[in-house]
Amino acid sequence: MTRAPPPLHDLWTRNQLQRAKLADLKQYLKEVKLPMAGELRDVAHRVKLHMDVVHEKLTIHVDGTSVSPFDLKPAQLRKQVALLGKDPQGNKDELLTLLIEHLQSTSTSSMPSRSDDLKATPGVKQAKAILELAATDDYSAILSASGIDVQPSSSTAIMRKAYLKLSLLVHPDKLPKDFADATRAFQALVTAYEMLSQPPELITAVPAKAKHGTMEIMRSNEGCHRTPVHCPRCHEAWGLPSHGCEPFDFNFLMMGLKTFHCATCLFEFGCMSAEHHCPHCHRRVEYHPNDFHRHLTCASCRKTYGFYMYKISNRREQEYRAAIRATQETKLKDKARKDERTKRASGRQTISDDMRSTQGKETLFAMNLLDACPRCGDDDVDPTEDSRMSHLRTCTNATKIQAYQIKMRHLSQVIILPLASSQKKYN
């Protein structure tokens, strides 16, 4: 049973109208009596402009009357664009874009204050907490900003649940346009999820020798596809030849050995945070590097598929692995330097991952982003910052703290099976 596509309004709120069907877009334009000519990109842009005007109630004063930009005659439209100091040459869609963007900017700047709105906007508080915790690479605390207590030993399913919950809040498309650090916060979230779900291990610099200078494929590619992979930031396809990607880049991404940058928005991501799609119905599917040598069955279309493994010369693979190893070593050195600075600042001899995680979660608890105290688990604390800081100062019952930590370590190791697809290994 196939799911119905999301309504146009939902796609508009997510800035994904280009994913709508052309027939649906044209039907919308027909209902509002606008031109339906053009390709999918042009039609989607026209629908977006109209929805922006309708939902933001954008109007312009002409001869003492407030009218919609779409109600302007061609001569009036060119005149209004010229009054903005813009070039009045171009087709109607181009002129409307200039005028509507100006109306959006003026309506935003004319508001009395955006600081209170930013504080009240869902996700801004989490984004600021993520940026604060990212300075110390406190990955488990970053994921815990979702309200789910994530430990370094938590299962991948728990980490993914926390990541998905946060990504719905701090994705740049969900945050206000004037929140300047939106992309940086989302990048910190993706990095935390990638690093925590797959702790970095130095890749072998020299691969196993292969015959005739080509890496041997230890399994068949029968029934395998180069499954579509999309950037989690802009949702554009990754790995196209026009992006300068080699075919074997697919191997390294899907095995979780290397992160890549999106050619469209330059966002860095890996296989855990990337958007994976079924090669048959193109629905979103769950993926883990352990699935690379398996066949999966799509939960939507019930078709089975595998992941294509590209050949790579032994020399090229050796160079590639050496470059990846050098990057990993650089990151590990940077992390060691950060740990050293944190150690000197705190005056402690050593700072373990658990200790760093607890410190970060105490920050989240004080910001009311965690319900329960990360030390004792008490969830009946007044939500004000003063009350929570006072609770942390007095939370010193060693027996209660130890019992709660044992309980959380046990819960963090509970494995939740993924629902998106069933798996079977290659024969």
Side-chain angles (χ1 to χ4, degrees):
M1 181 178 179
T2 58
R3 294 179 295 178
L8 291 183
H9 182 269
D10 292 345
L11 293 174
W12 170 76
T13 57
R14 300 199 298 264
N15 197 22
Q16 297 177 1
L17 277 173
Q18 290 190 12
R19 293 193 171 190
K21 293 182 178 179
L22 182 60
D24 294 339
L25 295 171
K26 288 188 174 182
Q27 179 62 29
Y28 176 88
L29 293 176
K30 182 179 180 180
E31 292 174 357
V32 296
K33 299 180 180 180
L34 290 178
M36 298 181 289
E39 299 179 353
L40 174 61
R41 183 175 182 178
D42 300 326
V43 174
H45 181 64
R46 199 174 302 137
V47 171
K48 178 185 180 301
L49 290 177
H50 189 268
M51 286 188 168
D52 288 345
V53 169
V54 171
H55 292 280
E56 298 180 29
K57 299 179 180 179
L58 302 176
T59 58
I60 188 168
H61 291 279
V62 178
D63 298 330
T65 306
S66 296
V67 298
S68 168
F70 286 93
D71 294 334
L72 295 176
K73 295 180 180 179
Q76 293 175 322
L77 181 58
R78 286 194 294 271
K79 180 180 178 180
Q80 293 297 328
V81 172
L83 291 174
L84 300 177
K86 306 289 185 180
D87 185 3
Q89 303 298 322
N91 59 41
K92 188 173 182 179
D93 286 343
E94 293 172 347
L95 297 178
L96 280 171
T97 300
L98 293 173
L99 182 58
I100 291 172
E101 287 179 351
H102 171 74
L103 293 175
Q104 288 175 323
S105 62
T106 54
S107 64
T108 301
S109 61
S110 62
M111 295 177 67
S113 174
R114 288 288 291 169
S115 58
D116 294 337
D117 292 341
L118 276 176
K119 292 178 182 178
T121 302
V124 171
K125 192 173 184 179
Q126 284 85 348
K128 291 181 177 180
I130 287 172
L131 290 171
E132 181 179 343
L133 296 169
T136 57
D137 292 338
D138 195 347
Y139 300 133
S140 59
I142 288 175
L143 293 183
S144 296
S146 62
I148 301 172
D149 193 357
V150 176
Q151 306 287 339
S153 58
S154 296
S155 66
T156 305
I158 292 177
M159 295 178 188
R160 181 162 183 80
K161 182 179 179 181
Y163 164 73
L164 292 176
K165 185 176 180 180
L166 275 175
S167 64
L168 293 175
L169 294 172
V170 303
H171 191 281
D173 291 344
K174 301 292 185 180
L175 294 173
K177 294 181 180 179
D178 51 352
F179 185 68
D181 294 326
T183 299
R184 196 160 64 90
F186 189 59
Q187 181 69 80
L189 171 63
V190 167
T191 301
Y193 177 50
E194 291 283 350
M195 297 294 289
L196 203 60
S197 60
Q198 281 193 290
E201 296 180 2
L202 285 178
I203 188 172
T204 305
V206 181
K209 292 183 178 180
K211 297 179 181 179
H212 309 297
T214 303
M215 184 183 71
E216 290 183 339
I217 296 181
M218 304 306 294
R219 62 162 172 85
S220 170
N221 275 328
E222 183 179 356
C224 295
H225 303 263
R226 191 194 186 287
T227 54
V229 179
H230 291 253
C231 168
R233 166 64 181 87
C234 65
H235 313 293
E236 292 294 329
W238 168 85
L240 301 179
S242 58
H243 296 166
C245 292
E246 298 281 359
F248 52 76
D249 284 338
F250 182 75
N251 299 359
F252 287 91
L253 174 75
M254 301 299 280
M255 289 190 289
L257 299 178
K258 190 178 187 302
T259 58
F260 292 86
H261 288 83
C262 173
T264 303
C265 65
L266 303 181
F267 193 81
E268 184 179 5
F269 61 93
C271 71
M272 295 298 293
S273 57
E275 295 180 354
H276 299 272
H277 297 259
C278 169
H280 302 293
C281 66
H282 297 281
R283 297 281 186 182
R284 283 280 299 274
V285 295
E286 300 288 340
Y287 177 80
H288 190 275
N290 294 340
D291 298 334
F292 186 62
H293 298 296
R294 296 173 177 169
H295 274 131
L296 307 184
T297 300
C298 177
S300 298
C301 65
R302 308 307 301 171
K303 292 183 179 180
T304 302
Y305 61 92
F307 302 93
Y308 199 90
M309 188 172 185
Y310 288 90
K311 293 182 179 180
I312 176 175
S313 69
N314 195 38
R315 179 186 61 81
R316 187 72 180 92
E317 186 189 8
Q318 184 174 354
E319 294 173 352
Y320 212 73
R321 285 175 174 265
I324 295 175
R325 184 182 177 90
T327 302
Q328 290 177 333
E329 289 176 343
T330 301
K331 289 182 178 180
L332 290 175
K333 288 178 181 178
D334 290 342
K335 186 176 184 300
R337 282 194 290 267
K338 282 186 179 180
D339 290 346
E340 183 63 27
R341 287 195 296 268
T342 305
K343 183 175 67 175
R344 288 198 300 267
S346 63
R348 292 189 175 96
Q349 293 296 320
T350 58
I351 296 183
S352 64
D353 289 340
D354 289 339
M355 188 182 299
R356 185 187 296 107
S357 176
T358 301
Q359 292 173 350
K361 289 174 184 176
E362 288 174 2
T363 302
L364 295 175
F365 177 71
M367 296 173 67
N368 199 25
L369 291 177
L370 273 183
D371 294 331
C373 171
R375 295 183 189 173
C376 64
D378 188 358
D379 57 359
D380 190 22
V381 183
D382 193 81
T384 62
E385 184 174 355
D386 291 340
S387 299
R388 292 186 168 232
M389 291 300 295
S390 175
H391 173 82
L392 289 174
R393 285 193 292 269
T394 58
C395 185
T396 56
N397 188 325
T399 303
K400 190 175 181 180
I401 291 174
Q402 184 178 9
Y404 179 69
Q405 298 302 327
I406 293 174
K407 175 184 175 182
M408 293 310 300
R409 277 196 295 270
H410 173 72
L411 291 177
S412 68
Q413 295 172 359
V414 175
I415 298 176
I416 303 175
L417 295 177
L419 301 177
S421 59
S422 57
Q423 306 169 348
K424 64 178 181 179
K425 290 188 177 182
Y426 285 85
N427 295 327

